[in-house]
Amino acid sequence: MSEARQELVLDELGLLPLWVRRDLVAAERARVAASNDAAASNDAAQPARAETAAAPAEAIAMPAAAEPPPRPMRQTVIPASAPAPAPAAVAAASGSVERDQRAAAIAAMDWEQLQAAVASCTACSLCKSRNRTVFGVGNPEADWLIVGEAPGAEEDRLGEPFVGQAGKLLDSMLASVDLNRRDGAFILNTLKCRPPQNRNPNPDELALCAPFLHRQVELIRPKVIFAVGRFAVQTLLGREASIASLRGKRHDYRGVPVVVSYHPAYLLRNMPDKIKAWQDLLLARRMLATSANRQADTGS
């Protein structure tokens, strides 16, 4: 940089005075002024060119406002088709239909058809371990129907309900109200096959055997039902209450009076409760007499 130019810059920055030649500084100032005047004259002579040159700069300095984003298009939601049912659900539905069809077929059977159906039944796994099915014994036109639970070992061997010690006790109980197993009553079990080791029947076994029981009751048309044991009561009344809470009062099965009592096998282990079973038998006999009197009064 020339000495005069350096002094001019320092002067503009307020850093003078310095010990420099003032004639050189004056000459440099004159030259700068002349250069500025020439530039101003040139700009005035060409206004269009100046406007043209300024336009791009203005465009860069002032960008156009951003356009608003386009509104999203409304989408039509097409519901997905229902998922295919699981194989287990399909099997359960199919099994339910088959059970309904089976129950409907049993409900249309006569006595001989029902006996044959019980003898050949393979609806549950008990058919694999049984020796004989136990349909029932007695008079199918009797007023009394005795309903027990499931066959035991002797019942499975002989094909007859309530044999052995429990059967002998039941015979004595019936004799106390002038009944016997051959003429005055019909005796049957809720379950037609013996569970292994005399275990309790499971709900599925009871459900599959229930249509046989219901059809037997419909065909026998008893005047009173004497239900002994928890599983007999559950199947007939659809209740899981204890025997102690249900006995001593009248219940109903499709219009037929039901009396609940202890199973003879239970009474063999709890002899003091035999008096309660005797009271239950007397209650059933009174209900039967009341029913007979009503029918006589109405002439039916």
Side-chain angles (χ1 to χ4, degrees):
M1 178 182 298
S2 66
E3 189 174 328
R5 178 65 177 171
Q6 181 179 4
E7 185 174 354
L8 177 61
V9 172
L10 292 176
D11 184 39
E12 293 292 333
L13 294 176
L15 299 179
L16 291 179
L18 291 175
W19 294 104
V20 294
R21 292 178 56 183
R22 297 192 177 278
D23 58 333
L24 295 178
V25 173
E28 182 64 22
R29 286 179 175 173
R31 187 185 66 80
V32 171
S35 177
N36 290 340
D37 291 339
S41 298
N42 187 45
D43 290 341
Q46 299 180 8
R49 182 180 177 183
E51 291 177 0
T52 304
E58 182 179 358
I60 295 174
M62 300 290 292
E67 296 184 2
R71 295 181 61 184
M73 296 180 63
R74 180 177 297 177
Q75 297 181 356
T76 302
V77 179
I78 301 176
S81 58
V90 173
S94 176
S96 178
V97 171
E98 291 178 359
R99 290 194 180 195
D100 291 343
Q101 293 174 343
R102 174 177 175 271
I106 292 173
M109 293 178 180
D110 60 25
W111 192 256
E112 289 74 20
Q113 291 171 335
L114 192 61
Q115 285 181 303
V118 169
S120 61
C121 180
T122 57
C124 74
S125 61
L126 294 182
C127 67
K128 300 175 183 178
S129 59
R130 73 184 180 215
N131 288 313
R132 299 181 65 178
T133 58
V134 182
F135 183 79
V137 64
N139 179 8
E141 297 181 354
D143 291 339
W144 285 71
L145 177 62
I146 314 300
V147 181
E149 296 187 307
E154 284 299 298
E155 288 85 353
D156 178 62
R157 183 176 67 85
L158 299 174
E160 184 172 329
F162 286 97
V163 296
Q165 293 302 313
K168 291 179 180 179
L169 178 56
L170 178 62
D171 289 342
S172 299
M173 293 168 62
L174 294 177
S176 68
V177 289
D178 302 322
L179 298 173
N180 63 73
R181 69 169 53 220
R182 300 299 173 186
D183 299 320
F186 193 87
I187 304 171
L188 55 81
N189 283 319
T190 303
L191 214 61
K192 308 307 181 188
C193 298
R194 178 201 178 200
Q197 288 77 50
N198 291 346
R199 64 163 172 77
N200 288 335
N202 63 48
D204 194 57
E205 293 163 352
L206 289 169
L208 288 169
C209 241
F212 290 138
L213 171 64
H214 298 322
R215 186 55 178 163
Q216 283 179 302
V217 177
E218 290 174 355
L219 293 172
I220 295 170
R221 292 185 296 179
K223 300 293 195 308
V224 65
I225 298 174
F226 192 68
V228 294
R230 176 164 58 100
F231 298 108
V233 172
Q234 288 180 7
T235 305
L236 287 170
L237 303 183
R239 301 176 61 181
E240 297 186 1
S242 66
I243 298 296
S245 66
L246 295 174
R247 58 166 300 275
K249 61 190 75 172
R250 173 184 170 136
H251 302 278
D252 183 88
Y253 172 82
R254 300 182 181 181
V256 181
V258 177
V259 175
V260 172
S261 190
Y262 296 107
H263 195 281
Y266 167 85
L267 295 175
L268 290 174
R269 303 188 301 270
N270 301 271
M271 298 299 286
D273 284 336
K274 288 177 66 176
I275 185 62
K276 297 178 182 178
W278 162 248
Q279 294 168 351
D280 296 332
L281 280 168
L282 295 179
L283 175 60
R285 187 168 67 176
R286 290 195 300 271
M287 288 183 182
L288 183 60
T290 300
S291 177
N293 291 336
R294 287 177 180 173
Q295 290 180 356
D297 293 339
T298 58
S300 58

